Amino acid sequence: MELLAIVLWVLAAVLLTASFDMLGRVNPHSRLPFFFGKPPINPPQVYVVRLLAFIFFLASGWMFSDTYGGAMGPILILLGAAPGCVRNFLHNRRVAAAEAQTR
């Protein structure tokens, strides 16, 4: 059960990071919201990938909470979401720097 939880967690983290990368590729010159809000171009594939990531995070968090205690699931979900958030933050930072140079 632990191995399945680890595989689901890694898959969810990769999918969430991929969803931020997809948005960054189709919106190279605009800032992106982290979780709430709508970017200028929002392909439907991003919704599907984020939904799958969310489902896999919930399943792995439930399995980890079952094995290691109640707080472990949410902690690991936050850790898994961190790489995608960092990628989005860096994208927004690049966009802000490019906007500042053009002014």
Side-chain angles (χ1 to χ4, degrees), residues 47-102:
Y47 288 120
V48 173
V49 171
R50 284 191 180 177
L51 177 67
L52 287 173
F54 182 70
I55 290 169
F56 291 153
F57 268 137
L58 285 179
S60 67
W62 172 68
M63 289 181 204
F64 280 125
S65 292
D66 226 22
T67 306
Y68 296 113
M72 190 52 109
I75 290 170
L76 287 174
I77 289 173
L78 291 176
L79 284 175
C85 291
V86 168
R87 295 282 300 211
N88 195 28
F89 174 75
L90 292 175
H91 171 82
N92 287 343
R93 197 167 151 191
R94 274 192 301 271
V95 169
E99 285 177 356
Q101 285 181 348
T102 59

